[in-house]
Amino acid sequence: MTQPTTDNPNSSAVADFYDEFAKKQVRTGLNLRHYLLFDHIKNSGLKRNHDILEIGCGIGTFTKLLLGYVKKGGSVLGVDISKTNVSIATKELGSANASFVVSDMTDFKVEKKFDYIVMLDVLEHIPVEQHQSLFKIFRACLKDDGTIFINIPHHDYLDYVRKNEPELLQIIDQSLSTDLILNSIYSND
């Protein structure tokens, strides 16, 4: 597997990393943390007829929970930078209400508006310099009364891993502060 770097690798290097990382995702599968995050999303107002855009869907591990909930009336569009991840997710979960596309989000365009944008443990893997343009895309894709649900690891945790267990880091693994994220959110309305 490609080793993590501290500089910003190009999109192709990131895609290659996550193509290889798919093997780990297959072994890991669903865990308690996924169920806890899913409960938070449901409790934030998710309805069975909502349309969801999941950024960084990976092999569809969390997508499976979303699809089980919105299977009658809602839909999930999963987006991932890895062709391997999208291929696995499509094979396992592709259906009338689930579709998957390969994108690094810099070129993402869709006519549909979504009730929810879900981004779990993904934002820290996208270079900070791209956050403003990412949130512009979110603004264009989100319904006026929509919700963006983001989960990131605590910056102290990532700092600890960087110092003590760097082999656990992914190709881009930045410590993000709430202020930095809120700046991107507020400046894109």
Side-chain angles (χ1 to χ4, degrees):
M1 187 179 297
T2 309
Q3 290 301 307
T5 63
T6 54
D7 55 350
N8 285 337
N10 66 33
S11 184
S12 176
V14 174
D16 290 346
F17 177 89
Y18 286 107
D19 282 346
E20 190 67 26
F21 192 73
K23 294 173 190 169
K24 180 180 179 189
Q25 291 180 356
V26 168
R27 284 191 311 271
T28 303
L30 281 169
N31 60 48
L32 179 59
R33 197 173 132 285
H34 292 117
Y35 290 104
L36 292 172
L37 289 169
F38 180 66
D39 281 344
H40 284 304
I41 291 173
K42 279 193 331 187
N43 292 336
S44 73
L46 182 66
K47 300 205 177 351
R48 292 187 180 275
N49 65 342
H50 276 166
D51 295 314
I52 304 166
L53 174 62
E54 183 186 10
I55 309 299
C57 66
I59 63 168
T61 304
F62 192 77
T63 315
K64 183 182 263 184
L65 292 175
L66 294 171
L67 283 171
Y69 189 74
V70 301
K71 64 183 170 188
K72 296 181 182 178
S75 69
V76 178
L77 173 59
V79 180
D80 200 274
I81 194 169
S82 162
K83 290 179 185 174
T84 300
N85 284 345
V86 167
S87 176
I88 293 169
T90 300
K91 181 180 175 189
E92 296 295 318
L93 301 170
S95 65
N97 66 334
S99 57
F100 300 91
V101 296
V102 176
S103 176
D104 68 358
M105 294 305 291
T106 59
D107 60 350
F108 185 78
K109 289 184 179 26
V110 65
E111 296 297 318
K112 185 175 195 165
K113 297 274 188 173
F114 296 89
D115 299 290
Y116 268 74
I117 296 175
V118 175
M119 191 175 211
L120 304 180
D121 298 334
V122 174
L123 192 58
E124 69 273 14
H125 305 302
I126 298 173
V128 172
E129 302 80 37
Q130 295 176 13
H131 287 189
Q132 286 291 336
S133 60
L134 178 66
F135 279 92
K136 282 182 188 171
I137 291 168
F138 287 179
R139 185 70 212 118
C141 296
L142 190 65
K143 290 181 180 177
D144 289 339
D145 61 346
T147 300
I148 299 175
F149 194 96
I150 297 172
N151 186 71
I152 59 169
H154 194 278
H155 55 84
D156 287 343
Y157 169 75
L158 281 178
D159 291 345
Y160 172 85
V161 170
R162 194 171 288 107
K163 181 179 178 184
N164 298 294
E165 300 180 78
E167 69 278 3
L168 298 179
L169 294 172
Q170 296 179 29
I171 190 165
I172 299 172
D173 237 328
Q174 309 156 112
S175 299
L176 300 176
S177 70
T178 305
D179 289 344
L180 182 68
I181 296 168
L182 288 174
N183 181 45
S184 294
I185 291 170
Y186 290 135
S187 64
N188 286 288
D189 192 28

